[in-house]
Amino acid sequence: MKRDAGFTLVEMMISLLIFGLLAAAGVSLLSFGVRAQAVAGKKLDDVAALSRLDGVLVADLAQALPRATRDEGGAARPAFEGGNGAMLLRLVRGGWDNIDNAPRASVQKVEYVLSENGTIDRVAYPMLDGAAPYPPATMLSGVSSVSMRYRLAGAWADRWQGLLNTPLPDAVEMTITRTDGTVFRELFLVGIGNAMAKSVANAN
């Protein structure tokens, strides 16, 4: 008597077991790929934020000017202030683009602060004297602490309160400690943009 072609129950069970193992492996690989992509995206965003902070600081400090200001209460403030608390830097910079031809100056007061939420924020002011600031712009998050130093004539100091004859430091050092323990140390020249502009103008 001829036997009908087909699969036995044991063969079906083995096939289902193999299919289940392959499906589980595929789901694990897909899950790993999604997690890896999310981690890579977060790291890339973090690197971009660091680069953005670096670029803005380079531009601000390079265009620093020895121009004193007044705060909202009318008290006189130095042209350049630096500390190691919540307020990290406060300065006046030139080269403020005015693409809308607004009735304002081409110089701007800006400051960098370390917020209670662990972010480095840049705060800009619409006017140099007596004006309230614009809302802060977050430049970098995940910051545990920031250490600042200010260099003049080869000597470093932890704070800066400019004097009449030396309103600006020569350089600024910023050391950022992230919440994950990584540390970034950066150095910036101060006022070099204005010095270069004056040199070009004198050469012409």
Side-chain angles (χ1 to χ4, degrees):
M1 183 176 178
K2 187 176 179 181
R3 180 184 172 188
D4 294 335
F7 297 100
T8 66
L9 179 61
V10 174
E11 290 172 334
M12 287 294 296
M13 294 297 291
I14 293 174
S15 299
L16 289 173
L17 175 62
I18 294 173
F19 177 78
L21 291 174
L22 291 174
V27 171
S28 297
L29 287 174
L30 179 61
S31 177
F32 175 78
V34 171
R35 289 197 302 269
Q37 184 177 10
V39 171
K42 185 177 180 181
K43 289 293 184 182
L44 289 174
D45 290 342
D46 198 52
V47 170
L50 277 168
S51 298
R52 186 164 55 250
L53 173 63
D54 182 76
V56 175
L57 273 168
V58 166
D60 284 345
L61 290 169
Q63 297 290 335
L65 297 170
R67 202 283 197 185
T69 62
R70 293 187 178 276
D71 61 20
E72 294 179 61
R77 307 302 306 179
F80 194 106
E81 295 180 87
N84 271 298
M87 199 283 292
L88 305 173
L89 284 173
R90 184 183 294 117
L91 65 138
V92 174
R93 59 152 294 169
W96 185 15
D97 292 334
N98 192 356
I99 58 176
D100 297 328
N101 293 320
R104 61 167 176 80
S106 61
V107 295
Q108 184 181 36
K109 181 169 64 174
V110 298
E111 63 183 39
Y112 289 84
V113 297
L114 177 61
S115 74
E116 296 179 353
N117 298 324
T119 62
I120 296 177
D121 298 336
R122 182 182 186 268
V123 181
Y125 290 77
M127 293 182 291
L128 297 181
D129 300 309
Y134 291 125
T138 297
M139 305 300 297
L140 185 66
S141 59
V143 178
S144 176
S145 64
V146 179
S147 176
M148 306 292 298
R149 293 202 304 166
Y150 310 89
R151 182 180 177 90
L152 179 66
W156 288 97
D158 294 333
R159 300 186 62 83
W160 182 268
Q161 293 284 347
L163 303 175
L164 289 177
N165 56 339
T166 55
L168 305 178
D170 296 329
V172 170
E173 177 191 78
M174 173 182 281
T175 303
I176 302 172
T177 303
R178 309 299 300 280
T179 51
D180 61 3
T182 55
V183 178
F184 298 91
R185 176 176 172 269
E186 299 183 290
L187 293 171
F188 305 93
L189 294 175
V190 178
I192 187 65
N194 294 294
M196 292 175 62
K198 289 179 181 178
S199 296
V200 172
N202 292 335
N204 293 333

